[in-house]
Amino acid sequence: MIDSLTLHLSTVTAAAPVAGAEGGEAGGSAIFMLLMFGLLALFIFATWRRSRKMREDVRKANEGAVVGAEVVTAGGIVGRVVSRDDEHQRITLEFSHGDRMDFLLQAVQQVVEPAPGQRPETDVTEADQPDIDPTAPDSTDPR
């Protein structure tokens, strides 16, 4: 009796149709695979672009961390660069109360105020602005 039951189960499972064996479903799985590879490629491209932009920002911050510049470290510490050692990749920051501390050059996250003489040409300072009295009456015609 057990042998006949085993024989019956093996014939039933052999006769069962296999999922996906029909011709219409093969095209759907190919489209799904192309969609998955497309999404993977899009994800890789977006990650590559973001990392390239971050490397460029770090490079600009490291180049701007010259003696006299005010910088912010990755830990949020603000200080003025008093010395820079490119050989050992270190800078010394001085804080508002006069204390000094050494940091790795890679810790510089942002240049808040460039060193004197290092300002970009496009910046407009207060000395370049004409003297305008904000309390003077407006002489423009509203028509």
Side-chain angles (χ1 to χ4, degrees):
M1 169 104 170
I2 294 178
D3 289 332
S4 65
L5 182 61
T6 307
L7 180 64
H8 178 67
L9 285 176
S10 65
T11 58
V12 170
T13 57
V18 177
E22 298 175 5
E25 293 184 21
S29 66
I31 291 173
F32 179 75
M33 289 299 289
L34 286 175
L35 181 64
M36 288 293 114
F37 282 125
L39 288 174
L40 178 66
L42 182 66
F43 176 73
I44 290 171
F45 177 73
T47 303
W48 174 74
R49 261 187 85 186
R50 183 174 42 240
S51 68
R52 188 181 68 175
K53 184 180 182 305
M54 288 175 61
R55 280 193 311 267
E56 181 68 21
D57 291 344
V58 167
R59 185 188 62 78
K60 284 181 182 178
N62 287 342
E63 287 177 357
V66 295
V67 175
E70 187 172 339
V71 297
V72 177
T73 66
I77 299 173
V78 180
R80 189 163 302 277
V81 178
V82 293
S83 71
R84 178 179 173 142
D85 183 7
D86 287 326
E87 182 181 337
H88 294 101
Q89 295 290 310
R90 294 183 187 255
I91 59 171
T92 302
L93 298 183
E94 183 176 50
F95 308 112
S96 60
H97 45 69
D99 290 339
R100 292 182 177 191
M101 188 180 294
D102 290 340
F103 288 90
L104 290 175
L105 188 59
Q106 290 83 9
V108 175
Q109 185 175 9
Q110 177 183 5
V111 177
V112 177
E113 180 182 318
Q118 296 290 324
R119 292 192 183 271
E121 299 297 326
T122 59
D123 281 353
V124 178
T125 61
E126 291 181 16
D128 296 336
Q129 295 287 340
D131 291 331
I132 298 174
D133 185 11
T135 59
D138 191 14
S139 63
T140 58
D141 191 12
R143 289 188 250 166

